[in-house]
Amino acid sequence: DLDKDSVTDIRGTPFEPYEKTSNVHKLSDVKLLAPTTPINLFTMGANSKSHAESVQNAPQYSPTLMTRPNPTVYIRSIASIVGHEDKIIRPADAESFRTEVEMVVVVGKKMKKVTGPDVYNYILGYTVGNDLTIKEAEIAKEGWRAKNCDTMHPIGPWIETEFDSPRDAMRRSWVNGELTQEEACTNDRFGVPEVVGRIAWYITLYPGDMIFMGTCGEPPDGQVGDTVEVGIEGIGVLRNYIIADE
């Protein structure tokens, strides 16, 4: 349980009633792991107009993309998840390596065929994700390699359970301290009820499952040696370091 600059051990899990213990640690003294170990990990495709119509998406852009009636959702490998302050491996043959700031929904209760505003009753909270992308592989229809290589889904630094404005949240990213993305989630075509409800209509979601809600604009090309930070205002900032493939 996080409170400003301290972390308190709990008995139980965040997905059920739990008890705080008397064991308190300084936040600076603990290693923050990825917030959950999900059964399912999903990402959204081109949820914002600025990203759908970006230069890097031009080879695969369709005028119907932003008029489709339902969100485009992809299943990702849970083995690609890493946490706050972890290293990101840039594959040696990656032509580009886009770093994409995204808000991430964390499911709190088992859900199936839940739609509309009722979806919020099944959400534990929200965290921050970096949906690394090898754009050339994505355009070549190699989605498995474009998005699922080791370390390509950093998530963290924690789950914010008192975040009540996901639709209005401001997302930002920085590479080596330079601002590279900035846009409010109000510009997204689909919000949390539409995306999570669409998934839960067909696939049972479990406590700890996570859904990336989409990025914005022109995500930068991360290079070996870069420090990448992605943040959602009101949640926190996730920091990672890009290293070379072995």
Side-chain angles (χ1 to χ4, degrees):
D1 188 85
L2 177 66
D3 181 16
K4 296 182 180 178
D5 296 324
S6 66
V7 180
T8 303
D9 291 344
I10 64 170
R11 293 189 181 93
T13 77
F15 306 105
E16 58 191 4
Y18 62 81
E19 177 186 353
K20 289 186 179 182
T21 72
S22 58
N23 298 325
V24 180
H25 314 274
K26 290 181 180 180
L27 179 58
S28 58
D29 291 341
V30 302
K31 164 65 177 172
L32 296 176
L33 305 178
T36 78
T37 302
I39 293 175
N40 296 298
L41 178 67
F42 301 90
T43 65
M44 259 291 294
N47 199 11
S48 74
K49 188 173 187 290
S50 66
H51 186 54
E53 297 181 353
S54 64
V55 171
Q56 61 193 253
N57 272 326
Q60 58 188 347
Y61 178 74
S62 166
T64 63
L65 190 60
M66 296 308 291
T67 61
R68 65 199 190 284
N70 296 305
T72 302
V73 180
Y74 303 93
I75 295 177
R76 302 303 181 196
S77 168
I78 60 172
S80 65
I81 296 173
V82 291
H84 182 59
E85 296 282 354
D86 282 340
K87 294 178 174 63
I88 303 169
I89 301 167
R90 176 176 171 134
D93 61 350
E95 298 94 330
S96 67
F97 198 55
R98 305 294 176 178
T99 73
E100 303 180 0
V101 57
E102 305 201 18
M103 182 172 64
V104 180
V105 181
V106 182
V107 176
K109 296 186 291 185
K110 183 178 178 180
M111 60 185 297
K112 180 69 183 291
K113 294 191 184 301
V114 179
T115 60
D118 194 31
V119 164
Y120 288 113
N121 296 325
Y122 292 79
I123 302 304
L124 173 66
Y126 303 85
T127 186
V128 187
N130 189 343
D131 185 21
L132 276 298
T133 305
I134 303 172
K135 206 66 188 177
E136 291 75 12
E138 183 180 74
I139 293 168
K141 305 300 182 185
E142 285 194 297
W144 66 273
R145 182 172 69 91
K147 293 275 192 178
N148 294 293
C149 300
D150 294 344
T151 74
M152 284 180 65
H153 283 102
I155 304 174
W158 44 67
I159 301 170
E160 177 54 67
T161 58
E162 298 180 0
F163 187 69
D164 57 3
S165 57
R167 193 59 166 163
D168 301 324
M170 180 64 73
R171 59 198 158 195
R172 297 182 177 92
S173 69
W174 302 263
V175 176
N176 301 325
E178 180 181 349
L179 183 67
T180 53
Q181 289 177 277
E182 184 176 40
E183 185 175 289
C185 295
T186 48
N187 293 324
D188 288 351
R189 179 168 170 76
F190 299 103
V192 172
E194 293 92 343
V195 175
V196 179
R198 174 72 171 171
I199 298 169
W201 188 258
Y202 299 96
I203 299 173
T204 300
L205 299 180
Y206 295 90
D209 283 355
M210 295 187 282
I211 301 100
F212 281 61
M213 289 295 296
T215 194
C216 57
E218 297 275 3
D221 185 6
Q223 302 293 325
V224 172
D226 285 347
T227 297
V228 180
E229 296 171 295
V230 292
I232 304 294
E233 193 170 26
I235 300 177
V237 175
L238 168 69
R239 183 184 304 110
N240 298 96
Y241 311 96
I242 301 178
I243 64 171
D245 201 352
E246 295 180 355

